Amino acid sequence: MDPHLLRTYVTVARLASFSEAARELGYTQSAVSQHIAALEQDLGAPLLTRRPVTPTPAGERLLEHASPLLLRLEAARADVVRMAAAPAHGLTLATSSTALGPRVLAALPASGVTLRVLPRDEVPAAVATGTADLGLVDGLAAPSDPLRLPDVAPLTTYGVGEEPVCVLLPDTHPLARRTGLRLADLADARWLDAPDAGLPLAHLRAANGGHGFRTALRYEGTDVRALIALSAAGHGLTLLPRPTATGVPGTAAVPITEPRVVHRTELVHAGVLGGAAAGVAEALVERA
């Protein structure tokens, strides 16, 4: 299967238009039509209806495979280029917002760093495809348990820190004076769903047997300050690492005592590290 044809197909399916796909890819519309026809002939099945432009059942199944396949190809190319390229003097670090704690900040060089705050599921892909030298991902886990990362490419991971987690709630909340809370007791509360700024509700549900934690408000962003402001204003509870949650005016940070879970941060990289990336990785692993 020709990856160029597959990339054209994914673009047409995403835009639902041959002409828009041609414009985005820099092809003529005729070339796009030829690509789709060649891919359909190769697979022996129609992939798109033409009016309107929508995937057929076979096309939907192909889309399930296409994104991981194309990402793997990009990762392979980036890995080869990375090995052949001269060592870079700068450093690009991709991180989820709550992985960027005080220890990470202390390990960064004084200059030459580009910091990219991304949705946590996009961090491994950024490292795999070479748009970042290092990645930091985080999540809720049992103590010493590794995180489950998207399978985008062969990546090396190191645990670089585990911290207690706290529920952040307004200081006027009935539970604000508690010294600890069980996660199960909060399953029916109103929660903020902020998968890329706080710890995702899916992680909380997994820790609670897959139940509870309904969404009161969804925040689609990576700004932890915005999430904290929403919680302080009473729009819902959120779970954060203790250093992030404590000391916020107008709020209370109450530790989770059961089950035993921690905020875990892992360093992700591809290939052999050198230059500034190797220095930062060494500093983070030593501090773990």
Side-chain angles (χ1 to χ4, degrees):
M1 187 185 305
D2 189 328
H4 296 291
L5 304 184
L6 185 60
R7 188 171 287 106
T8 298
Y9 168 68
V10 170
T11 306
V12 173
R14 173 169 55 83
L15 297 174
S17 168
F18 280 71
S19 60
E20 291 295 326
R23 187 175 296 109
E24 180 173 306
L25 295 169
Y27 298 150
T28 64
Q29 186 169 336
S30 174
V32 169
S33 297
Q34 291 172 14
H35 283 193
I36 299 302
L39 186 59
E40 290 178 327
Q41 182 176 5
D42 180 29
L43 295 176
L47 301 174
L48 293 166
T49 60
R50 270 35 177 194
R51 293 185 180 177
V53 178
T54 57
T56 63
E60 289 284 5
R61 182 57 60 87
L62 180 60
L63 284 174
E64 295 176 10
H65 295 282
S67 293
L69 285 171
L70 292 173
L71 182 57
R72 280 278 182 164
L73 288 171
E74 289 183 40
R77 182 180 185 279
D79 204 22
V80 173
V81 170
R82 189 184 295 113
M83 291 187 67
H89 296 291
L91 168 68
T92 299
L93 174 65
T95 178
S96 50
S97 55
T98 44
L100 196 62
R103 290 191 316 101
V104 173
L105 296 173
L108 295 181
S111 62
V113 178
T114 298
L115 189 64
R116 299 180 61 203
V117 180
L118 301 175
R120 58 173 45 83
D121 286 345
E122 295 181 15
V123 172
V127 174
T129 56
T131 59
D133 302 302
L134 293 174
L136 285 168
V137 290
D138 66 336
L140 196 66
S144 301
D145 274 5
L147 299 176
R148 295 182 179 180
L149 302 182
D151 182 18
V152 295
L155 296 175
T156 302
T157 62
Y158 299 97
V160 296
E162 291 185 351
E163 302 161 321
V165 290
C166 293
V167 179
L168 187 70
L169 33 74
D171 57 11
T172 56
H173 194 282
L175 300 177
R177 300 294 177 264
R178 295 282 189 92
T179 57
L181 289 166
R182 298 192 315 158
L183 203 55
D185 293 338
L186 302 169
D188 295 327
R190 298 171 68 254
W191 284 84
L192 294 168
D193 184 14
D196 298 317
L199 294 173
L201 293 189
H203 292 193
L204 276 65
R205 293 188 188 103
N208 194 47
H211 307 296
F213 304 99
R214 61 192 176 95
T215 300
L217 184 149
R218 181 173 174 84
Y219 170 60
E220 297 182 353
T222 59
D223 189 343
V224 179
R225 293 174 303 174
L227 176 63
I228 288 173
L230 288 168
S231 184
H235 290 289
L237 308 184
T238 190
L239 198 67
L240 291 169
R242 185 169 62 185
T244 305
T246 53
V248 179
T251 67
V254 183
I256 292 295
T257 56
E258 188 182 327
R260 290 189 64 221
V261 288
V262 294
H263 169 250
R264 180 176 172 86
T265 303
E266 294 184 357
L267 179 74
V268 182
H269 72 85
V272 178
L273 292 177
V280 170
E282 183 178 356
L284 286 172
V285 173
E286 282 181 354
R287 294 165 187 242

